Amino acid sequence: MIPAEFRYLCPSTVDEAVRMLAEEGEDAKVIAGGQSLVPVLRMRLAAPTALIDIGGLTELTGVRDDGDSLLIGAMTTHYEVQRDHLIHDHALLLKLVTDTVADPQVRHRGTFGGSLCHADPAGDLLAPALALDAVMIIAGPGGRREVPASEFFVGYFETALAPDEILIDVRVPKYTGWGAHYEKLNRVAQAWSIVAVAAAVQVRDGTIAAARVGLTNVGAGPVRAVDVESALVGQPATAEAISEAALRASTGDGYKDNLARVLTGRALTAAVAG
Amino acid sequence: MTATAEPEVGKARLRKEDARLITGQTKWTDNIQLTGMLHMAVLRSPVAHARIRHIDCSRATAMPGVALVLTGEDFAAEQGSLPCAWPITEDMKSPPAPALAVDQVNFAGEAVALVIADNAYRAADALAAIDVDYDELPVVLDMEEALKDQDLVHPDLGTNKCATWVFDSAEAGSGTDVEEAIASAEVVIERTFRQQRLIPSFMEPRSVVVDPSADMFTMWSATQIPHILRWMLSAVTGIAEHKIRVIAPDVGGGFGGKLQVTPEEVLCLLAARRMGRPVKWTESRTESMLSAHHGRDQIQKITLSARRDGTVTGLKVELLADMGAYLRLVTPGIPILGAFMFNAIYKFPAYRFECTNVFTNKTPTDAYRGAGRPEATFAIERMMDELAVELGMDPMKIREMNWIKHDEFPFTTVAGMTYDSGNYEAATARAMELFGYDDLREEQKRRRESGDPVQLGIGISTYTEMCGLAPSRVLGALRYAAGGWETASIRMLPTGKVEVITGTSPHGQGHETVWSQIVADRLGVPFEDVEVLHGDTASSHKGMDSYGSRSLTVGGTALVHAADKVLAKARKLAAHMMECDEADVEFAAGSFSVRGTSTARTLGDVVLAAHVAHDLPEGMEPGMDADATFDPDNFSFPHGTHLCATEVDTETGMVKIRSYVAVDDVGTVVNPLIVDGQVHGGLAQGIAQALYEEAIHDEMGTLTTATFADYLVPSAADLPAFMTARTATPATSNPLGVKGVGEAGTIASTPAVVNSVLDAVRHLGVRDIEMPLSPERVWTALQGGSADASTPAAGGLGSIDAQGGQS
């Protein structure tokens, strides 16, 4: 690979990383697992003057129990997310989505936070982060701030992160005991989704108590299917109720609209069953 | 003649070459480091058609580490024109093909300037500092539009039509008149198919190193054709052939994509000559996809006539074939190779093939796995299904009615080929049994009746192909510039070890293993005692290289002949040593003995005696080496029956291959493991054409699928577990009885998959779907929409323009 020339910086703390980012100016870029940034550098579609490698910041890896929620370090790899017991028990949807990300090599290098910051509308982790009401914990020159996913994803490859800020943790409320499923349609295993649907459902005594549905790659960013969610609440967990609600995933008549409806139905059906 | 106790031929030997290839303990071209070596980077045109007004290299020249920046103008006097070795007709139009564009660019990705620098990074950096002023011209992309000659790719030619090539069975005397057959037919079916453009996607990107020292130009290149390359480099540049040595070290795949004399090979040679220092060039994946030749890209209009009972009476083929912007090494001949294959295994009494080659502002096309034959096989196998549907007959039944029966071989076809052997009944019976045809038809019926959202389809492909390229006289008759023979040498070393030199040039096929097996059997030496040398024109001074499933049928036969020459001489010397009549010498298990006695000499004893030459028969030369060159009398004709079951999700359009059975008859099998590997890889590539791969250009002529994020090559995760089996009807045209297996899987599988998908959804009103059968195309067809809806890949890098990327 032959990228354009850049300075390579290796901070040893988050504060140092933030300081470096401020010093290097807006043409500097943070590199996490590099699974999205490196291809872009390789093709010289981006030519940052400096790369600040936060790969050595072990404080940013791992999943912690924080009472009603989980704190997922931004540098936790997909591979670690797939195997984490807290995630399995309290945010199963994230595990199921992560299982489908790219291939094993990418899952060993790529990070949870890196995927969210890259904000590729076809990236798998955006929709579940949105649907699960994740909160981004961000470090910047002025200290820490928290931004809900609904405000974090602002457009096509665009987030609320300022050029001098770094995502350090993601807070995800616990969804203990919820059923979950990720229904993804991609042409080959390593291709991005054409459309995918992330669904989590809480069923109590045969009735849908709560539902979360996020759509991948139907817009400039992840889309939360709020109409589907509200149509489900209070309904019996039946095929009829699910089919009816899934129709609200999209109102258009294009191929992706059709996929949004079909895949929402399938995701909900599997989530309820699981 | 089998001399070892347990025959090597037929043994599933692990490949000798795998350990070093898999661990990387070998010499790939890009690994080569030479003292004082410089690095070349190539600036490519971002536009598909333009005049070059001016190129300003001053900024680039001044950059650190840059030794030289050159444009086409700088090289105009010495770069010559890249060769086309196959002028298919006397009046074929052929534009000059400069390695570096001089005053006009004709496809996006064409080389316009080069930088030589002290390292690859600095060379790449300097590309961005070259300013090219383009005066854009109208872009010609669509073949039918191109033929109207409103805008011209090459104005000097006066037309976009390159050539028209015709075969007519009535004129050739090999059959009757097809127009009469169609006029008098009970049933006529006419269909148009599109063979989308594909990118060969070899694993190792192309790489070249040229060392100009020692009064010699030594070129290492990731090529399939070191021998042809040496010849052509000399022809293009005027450098004397004996002053050029070409080495193809271990090469990581080709699929026809490295059957080429590339602009970069010529440029690297000229740059090394100018600098007087070694120069290396290695491409990025995106560069490869933009500029290395593409494959397929035809529009096929097929007319088939038949009787109502299902008997075929005529076949008319009208092709448009996209050459791209230039004619590369065998570009115009690729569609012509299909001319002999459209009639396939069926007894058509009348046949006409007419192909018009067309220039467009796209990357040149050329050989890609199967080269003309996959296109032909797709068309005829789709048509046989269409005929079955039209007549309400079972698609296998209709094939069976029309194919050549096993007792009719040798059979001369309507295209003038003589198929030496085959047994379509046997291969089909085996495939049907493995597939569980009747059970799947039952399940299909149930799913249709219940309106299951997932419908099941069954696709058939009963294919044949022509391999073993090629009898030189046939190539001559087709106006091809070279012959089709192959050569082999055996060097018997004094310790009894054996060196084999082959003119074939393996790039992943496992020739070292298979050639060792053949020699071990023939000479009765251990498999491990044979070393196979290849790919270096200094050690292997002649050869026609590897492509067209030719290496074993032609090169393997040359090897057998060389081994027989060694034995013939050794027998004479053995008789002399054992003081007996040559007629009384027997050879078995690597040892000569006198019939009826215990007197014996091993081959090693005899070889040593020949080497020291102390006591040779009168007139015998020292040494026990032998050379042989074999020119085949005929092609070989592998065949087989492939059956594919697909599940089509009618709600999403997604196609899933449920099961795939391939029964191939490739004649005698030397190494079953390698044959299975060839079949598996071939199937993956053929299935990829049916379902996944497509080179897409936007309306400006920019390739939008120039990364593996956009050009979808399937992995093992996307493919089913293949069920493979074989029947073995030996070829009669070579002593091994082999037919070739490099392309069979690719040729056979594409129509099997497409036939299967159509079989699943035809009752829902779908008549055809263009390849690749993406979920969106399938779903759109199910909605009654156009079958050729364009489906760009989804998201990710797919939305990034990768034009001109370096890596």
Side-chain angles (χ1 to χ4, degrees):
Chain A
M1 89 151 219
I2 308 185
E5 193 172 332
F6 55 82
R7 277 159 41 76
Y8 177 77
L9 301 168
C10 235
S12 46
T13 64
V14 169
D15 290 341
E16 193 187 358
V18 168
R19 202 164 53 241
M20 285 175 172
L21 206 44
E23 282 164 12
E24 292 295 326
E26 60 183 24
D27 289 333
K29 196 91 179 129
V30 171
I31 182 163
Q35 298 307 292
S36 301
L37 183 56
V38 170
V40 168
L41 295 177
R42 182 169 74 74
M43 289 190 285
R44 298 192 172 211
L45 295 169
T49 51
L51 284 190
I52 295 161
D53 185 350
I54 57 171
L57 303 185
T58 47
E59 59 192 287
L60 298 187
T61 63
V63 182
R64 285 112 67 205
D65 193 326
D66 193 36
D68 291 341
S69 58
L70 301 178
L71 277 173
I72 305 173
M75 289 298 289
T76 308
T77 65
H78 302 309
Y79 176 82
E80 289 161 348
V81 167
Q82 283 181 280
R83 278 155 188 81
D84 189 89
H85 292 293
L86 289 171
I87 287 182
H88 182 272
D89 293 347
H90 305 295
L92 181 62
L93 180 60
L94 285 182
K95 178 212 158 11
L96 298 176
V97 170
T98 306
D99 285 345
T100 74
V101 171
D103 53 47
Q105 289 93 325
V106 170
R107 293 197 291 268
H108 273 273
R109 297 289 310 167
T111 64
F112 182 63
S115 294
L116 298 178
C117 293
H118 186 54
D120 183 335
D124 291 303
L125 291 160
L126 282 62
L130 181 68
L132 297 180
D133 286 323
V135 175
M136 312 299 156
I137 302 173
I138 294 167
R144 308 284 195 264
R145 68 178 180 122
E146 300 200 355
V147 178
S150 57
E151 294 167 24
F152 183 74
F153 302 113
V154 298
Y156 189 70
F157 290 95
E158 210 185 334
T159 68
L161 213 56
D164 56 358
E165 290 183 318
I166 297 174
L167 176 67
I168 54 171
D169 269 318
V170 181
R171 185 192 306 281
V172 179
K174 285 183 178 172
Y175 293 86
T176 317
W178 288 47
H181 187 75
Y182 191 50
E183 186 74 18
K184 176 171 175 175
L185 192 87
N186 49 354
R187 290 183 59 194
V188 296
Q190 295 185 50
W192 278 266
S193 308
I194 300 173
V195 171
V197 179
V201 183
Q202 187 183 38
V203 180
R204 283 202 194 117
D205 305 326
T207 298
I208 296 174
R212 301 282 186 272
V213 180
L215 309 180
T216 299
N217 207 23
V218 297
V223 171
R224 184 148 173 191
V226 283
D227 290 349
V228 177
E229 292 177 2
S230 56
L232 286 166
V233 175
Q235 295 295 315
T238 59
E240 293 72 33
I242 288 171
S243 315
E244 175 62 29
L247 291 177
R248 303 178 186 221
S250 178
T251 53
D253 56 6
Y255 178 58
K256 282 194 172 191
D257 298 295
N258 167 68
L259 283 185
R261 292 187 292 266
V262 169
L263 302 183
T264 297
R266 290 180 185 182
L268 287 168
T269 303
V272 165
Chain B
M1 185 193 314
T2 298
T4 44
E6 191 192 350
E8 281 289 339
V9 168
K11 201 187 268 186
R13 279 273 186 195
L14 290 178
R15 302 185 350 153
K16 280 186 168 183
E17 45 277 81
D18 278 354
R20 72 169 197 272
L21 295 179
I22 290 168
T23 60
Q25 299 299 305
T26 189
K27 199 177 265 185
W28 306 106
T29 303
D30 191 47
N31 294 147
I32 293 168
Q33 301 294 341
L34 301 174
T35 306
M37 189 167 75
L38 297 165
H39 295 261
M40 180 172 93
V42 177
L43 183 72
R44 298 183 182 280
S45 172
V47 296
H49 203 199
R51 276 189 223 295
I52 300 172
R53 257 201 227 119
H54 180 65
I55 304 179
D56 182 355
C57 302
S58 54
R59 281 199 304 135
T61 308
M63 285 179 67
V66 172
L68 189 66
V69 182
L70 287 174
T71 67
E73 223 163 66
D74 300 319
F75 263 160
E78 52 190 302
Q79 68 177 349
S81 182
L82 293 165
C84 174
W86 203 340
I88 55 167
T89 61
E90 212 161 314
D91 61 352
M92 182 182 83
K93 299 272 195 296
S94 185
L100 210 49
V102 178
D103 48 15
Q104 186 167 317
V105 289
N106 294 305
F107 70 95
E110 185 169 359
V112 293
L114 60 84
V115 174
I116 307 290
D118 59 356
N119 71 46
Y121 292 83
R122 284 170 152 178
D125 286 346
L127 293 181
I130 302 173
D131 297 312
V132 186
D133 187 4
Y134 293 106
D135 188 4
E136 290 197 41
L137 297 167
V139 175
V140 180
L141 298 172
D142 179 84
M143 281 193 278
E144 281 158 344
E145 281 298 312
L147 285 175
K148 293 176 187 163
D149 281 341
Q150 277 162 352
D151 297 314
L152 297 176
V153 176
H154 301 283
D156 291 351
L157 298 182
T159 177
N160 291 321
K161 194 171 111 177
C162 169
T164 298
W165 194 93
V166 179
F167 176 88
D168 189 301
S169 64
E171 289 164 22
S174 56
T176 53
D177 184 78
V178 82
E179 297 299 345
E180 275 174 34
I182 291 168
S184 62
E186 293 170 11
V187 185
V188 175
I189 295 175
E190 192 187 297
R191 297 283 185 274
T192 299
F193 303 121
R194 192 177 70 104
Q195 291 284 326
Q196 81 269 33
R197 181 174 273 250
L198 300 177
I199 300 177
S201 308
F202 31 76
M203 194 184 291
E204 179 205 18
R206 297 173 303 161
S207 182
V208 190
V209 174
V210 177
D211 179 3
S213 63
D215 192 28
M216 183 85 188
F217 293 96
T218 302
M219 173 184 287
W220 290 263
S221 181
T223 180
Q224 293 175 229
I225 53 161
H227 297 93
I228 296 172
L229 179 57
R230 180 196 198 196
W231 177 11
M232 291 296 121
L233 286 173
S234 169
V236 170
T237 65
I239 298 172
E241 190 181 353
H242 66 295
K243 291 293 178 188
I244 302 174
R245 172 185 178 190
V246 176
I247 303 169
D250 277 325
V251 175
F255 312 119
K258 291 173 181 167
L259 198 192
Q260 195 55 270
V261 177
T262 68
E264 295 83 4
E265 284 162 336
V266 172
L267 295 175
C268 228
L269 176 61
L270 297 180
R273 177 165 73 175
R274 190 166 292 207
M275 300 304 300
R277 286 168 67 182
V279 175
K280 180 197 279 185
W281 170 79
T282 300
E283 69 185 351
S284 72
R285 178 59 63 184
T286 291
E287 247 188 314
S288 187
M289 299 182 93
L290 286 167
S291 66
H293 72 246
H294 294 171
R296 316 277 192 264
D297 208 343
Q298 295 182 358
I299 295 170
Q300 310 173 302
K301 186 178 162 199
I302 317 285
T303 311
L304 184 149
S305 62
R307 292 205 298 264
R308 289 226 77 87
D309 70 357
T311 309
V312 296
T313 60
L315 182 67
K316 186 166 82 165
V317 175
E318 295 160 277
L319 298 187
L320 295 181
D322 193 339
M323 304 288 97
Y326 296 102
L327 302 181
R328 295 292 194 232
L329 192 61
V330 289
T331 301
I334 297 301
I336 309 311
L337 281 172
F340 309 100
M341 284 288 115
F342 277 89
N343 52 298
I345 64 170
Y346 310 112
K347 292 183 279 187
F348 284 96
Y351 173 56
R352 182 181 166 86
F353 170 97
E354 183 178 314
C355 178
T356 299
N357 287 349
V358 185
F359 289 113
T360 62
N361 290 116
K362 284 185 263 182
T363 306
T365 57
D366 208 316
Y368 173 52
R369 204 168 189 174
R373 293 157 289 164
E375 297 92 317
T377 303
F378 178 86
I380 187 63
E381 289 304 300
R382 283 284 297 108
M383 289 305 277
M384 294 310 278
D385 262 32
E386 293 293 308
L387 180 63
V389 169
E390 178 74 23
L391 297 176
M393 291 175 69
D394 179 85
M396 188 58 93
K397 175 84 186 127
I398 211 152
R399 286 170 168 83
E400 203 178 329
M401 278 181 67
N402 287 292
W403 73 40
I404 302 157
K405 306 287 181 291
H406 71 276
D407 54 6
E408 292 175 310
F409 289 92
F411 185 91
T412 299
T413 73
V414 74
M417 287 279 140
T418 300
Y419 296 177
D420 60 334
S421 70
N423 190 332
Y424 309 140
E425 298 94 318
T428 300
R430 184 87 181 98
M432 296 287 264
E433 176 195 326
L434 288 169
F435 190 62
Y437 188 84
D438 295 337
D439 289 348
L440 284 164
R441 283 278 180 227
E442 266 305 305
E443 182 184 337
Q444 177 182 49
K445 193 161 158 254
R446 284 200 304 276
R447 287 188 189 233
R448 280 187 190 173
E449 283 166 0
S450 68
D452 194 319
V454 178
Q455 288 291 312
L456 183 71
I458 294 172
I460 299 170
S461 173
T462 49
Y463 77 99
T464 189
E465 55 156 333
M466 51 193 273
C467 291
L469 273 49
S472 297
R473 64 181 165 78
V474 176
L475 293 180
L478 291 171
R479 306 178 55 86
Y480 184 63
W485 46 263
E486 194 47 84
T487 193
S489 301
I490 294 179
R491 296 180 191 154
M492 300 303 296
L493 305 178
T495 56
K497 309 292 185 193
V498 184
E499 273 180 351
V500 167
I501 300 111
T502 177
T504 65
S505 196
H507 40 282
Q509 293 90 339
H511 292 182
E512 290 170 36
T513 302
V514 170
W515 277 215
S516 297
Q517 288 180 273
I518 292 170
V519 169
D521 256 9
R522 221 69 193 177
L523 299 182
V525 298
F527 170 79
E528 294 77 13
D529 284 1
V530 184
E531 186 70 25
V532 179
L533 308 178
H534 56 78
D536 180 347
T537 59
S539 60
S540 160
H541 73 288
K542 77 181 170 179
M544 292 307 298
D545 307 317
S546 288
Y547 42 84
S549 304
R550 69 185 303 272
S551 297
L552 182 58
T553 48
V554 191
T557 301
L559 184 57
V560 166
H561 289 173
D564 289 349
K565 284 185 184 177
V566 168
L567 284 184
K569 182 172 177 183
R571 180 184 297 271
K572 271 194 179 60
L573 180 52
H576 177 75
M577 290 165 74
M578 297 186 290
E579 298 177 338
C580 68
D581 195 282
E582 199 187 324
D584 292 331
V585 174
E586 289 179 331
F587 181 68
S591 187
F592 294 97
S593 58
V594 182
R595 194 188 316 276
T597 75
S598 60
T599 308
R601 295 286 187 281
T602 65
L603 178 62
D605 297 337
V606 179
V607 167
L608 183 62
H611 189 77
V612 299
H614 295 163
D615 178 17
L616 298 181
E618 193 61 33
M620 181 179 277
E621 286 180 18
M624 199 57 78
D625 301 345
D627 300 327
T629 299
F630 173 67
D631 195 352
D633 284 335
N634 194 3
F635 296 89
S636 58
F637 301 93
H639 70 82
T641 296
H642 288 210
L643 299 172
C644 175
T646 54
E647 292 177 358
V648 179
D649 183 337
T650 59
E651 292 177 344
T652 64
M654 193 71 185
V655 174
K656 183 181 155 218
I657 297 180
R658 154 94 164 260
S659 60
Y660 196 102
V661 169
V663 177
D664 296 290
D665 192 326
V666 298
T668 304
V669 169
V670 179
N671 185 322
L673 198 61
I674 288 178
V675 167
D676 278 344
Q678 285 280 12
V679 170
H680 280 233
L683 292 177
Q685 278 178 311
I687 290 168
Q689 177 173 13
L691 297 180
Y692 306 120
E693 295 183 17
E694 181 176 25
I696 301 171
H697 293 81
D698 66 15
E699 71 285 356
M700 300 302 292
T702 304
L703 182 68
T704 62
T705 53
T707 73
F708 280 157
D710 312 292
Y711 187 85
L712 301 182
V713 176
S715 67
D718 305 300
L719 298 164
F722 300 126
M723 208 181 292
T724 62
R726 281 183 286 278
T727 55
T729 315
T732 63
S733 53
N734 66 70
L736 290 165
V738 296
K739 298 180 180 174
V741 70
E743 296 153 300
T746 308
I747 289 169
S749 55
T750 311
V753 175
V754 175
N755 278 340
S756 170
V757 173
L758 289 169
D759 185 55
V761 297
R762 197 176 262 115
H763 67 290
L764 300 172
V766 177
R767 285 168 52 91
D768 197 14
I769 309 172
E770 261 192 20
M771 294 190 290
L773 276 57
S774 67
E776 184 170 1
R777 279 198 181 127
V778 173
W779 183 81
T780 305
L782 282 162
Q783 311 311 304
S786 154
D788 61 353
S790 89
T791 20
L797 287 174
S799 43
I800 293 171
D801 172 16
Q803 183 65 48
Q806 263 294 324
S807 90

